[in-house]
Amino acid sequence: MTSIIDGKRCATLIRSAVAQHVGRLRENYGLRPGLAVILVGENPASQIYVRNKARLTEEAGMLSLDERLPAHTPQIQLLEVIDRLQRDPAVHGILVQLPLPPQISPEAVFAALNPAKDVDGFSPLNVGLLHTGGHGIVPCTPLGCLFLLKQQLGDLTGLRALVLGRSNIVGKPMAALLLRENCTVTIAHSHSRELAAECRRADIVVAAVGRPQLVKADWIKPGATIIDVGINRITSPDGKTRLIGDVDFAQALGVAAAITPVPGGVGPMTVACLLFNTLTVACRQHDIPAPELTLPPPDRETSSRPG
Ligand code: NDP
């Protein structure tokens, strides 16, 4: 039996805990956390993500600001918008939606972000703090993956973890987080040799490559826990599009102890962690203790593990 890790349910729990904290902040301190999301261009997937983030931000009782800029916006103009928002006391967190158009360097944008308002954790200071064990802001997707792993497995100490993918936004911060949890971490990428064998050694696999169903049944160690970050849009022969992950989900069933589905796994957790990070930065900016979030154990009725 393989447990299906219910990211949607966990995300709902995190969002409702965040909403409760926000309610207390507003009541006790008159503080309403504010999140500004900047979208450059008209990427259809990004437009959906941004709309969704705005809706859930409002639902959590926070202020949502939406900045839309045309695709041809010069980098300097985006940096001016970031600067203006960073000086706005009603804005506690700022997120620049990726991907950016080619004339804008993501590194220049991350460098311009005030680390105290950088809810994505991509600014150089927050990246450094993650790697040196400090208390910066942790990128939302890896943070969501870690929530799910800890909820599923409890203490991760000593487990062998493979992170497939080494991007700055998922793979590298994920590996740093797992190292912080005392896992033995391997990072694999497009130049790695014997990928299947590397994967088969791992108790935890986090797949973030953007290659549909790359991970097959015989790559998976029996009893491993799989977090599938991949979001791949494929078109079926009937012309309908659907989302699939980087892991062959059907094949993994019966081999893995637990796996996240796509959709309904990591995706909802990313947005929930964004709200959590926004709450955290707002508290820190006002010297109010930032909340710790813990999740209840998974629903054992729908979760059973082999052995
Ligand atoms: P990137 O394209 O930035 O990075 C992909 C990584 O995978 C690279 O390190 C690349 O290696 C590696 N890779 C590519 N092909 C292979 C292969 N055949 N074998 C081994 N490694 C390979 O992607 P992201 O990290 O931004 O995203 C990864 C996936 O996660 C995407 O599907 C994306 O849509 C999804 N995603 C989902 C989120 C969510 O909320 N659920 C949030 C963010 C991303 P190399 O470095 O050598 O090129």
Side-chain angles (χ1 to χ4, degrees), residues 179-200:
L179 198 56
R180 210 162 81 170
E181 296 297 322
N182 301 317
C183 291
T184 303
V185 183
T186 302
I187 307 176
H189 45 78
S190 66
H191 301 272
S192 297
R193 291 184 194 155
E194 298 175 10
L195 214 49
E198 287 291 351
C199 202
R200 255 193 315 271

Side-chain angles (χ1 to χ4, degrees), residues 49 141 164-171 188-192 195 207-211 214 228-232 246 266-267 270:
Y49 294 146
T141 300
L164 259 172
R166 58 173 168 179
S167 72
N168 290 332
I169 64 168
V170 189
H189 45 78
S190 66
H191 301 272
S192 297
L195 214 49
V209 284
R211 297 281 177 269
L214 176 74
D228 191 349
V229 183
I231 301 177
N232 307 291
D246 289 343
V266 175
T270 296

Side-chain angles (χ1 to χ4, degrees), residues 79 82 86 96 98 100 105-115 118 120-125 127 168-169:
L79 298 184
I82 292 173
Q86 286 185 156
V96 181
L98 301 176
L100 288 163
S105 144
E107 287 71 30
V109 170
F110 301 155
L113 287 172
N114 174 353
D118 164 30
D120 253 341
F122 295 156
S123 65
L125 182 70
V127 173
N168 290 332
I169 64 168

Side-chain angles (χ1 to χ4, degrees), residues 72-80 82 102-106 108-109:
H72 55 78
T73 302
Q75 178 171 298
I76 184 75
Q77 197 181 326
L78 171 60
L79 298 184
E80 282 164 11
I82 292 173
Q103 75 277 14
I104 298 175
S105 144
V109 170

Side-chain angles (χ1 to χ4, degrees), residues 189-257:
H189 45 78
S190 66
H191 301 272
S192 297
R193 291 184 194 155
E194 298 175 10
L195 214 49
E198 287 291 351
C199 202
R200 255 193 315 271
R201 271 195 286 274
D203 305 303
I204 293 170
V205 176
V206 180
V209 284
R211 297 281 177 269
Q213 299 179 333
L214 176 74
V215 178
K216 301 293 181 193
D218 61 353
W219 290 38
I220 300 170
K221 176 179 174 179
T225 299
I226 314 281
I227 304 291
D228 191 349
V229 183
I231 301 177
N232 307 291
R233 191 173 291 278
I234 58 154
T235 308
S236 318
D238 62 4
K240 287 193 180 142
T241 60
R242 65 189 176 99
L243 298 181
I244 60 169
D246 289 343
V247 180
D248 191 321
F249 184 81
Q251 285 196 13
L253 294 179
V255 184

Side-chain angles (χ1 to χ4, degrees), residues 32-46:
R32 185 179 188 198
L35 172 66
V37 176
I38 306 173
L39 174 61
V40 187
E42 274 113 42
N43 179 315
S46 294

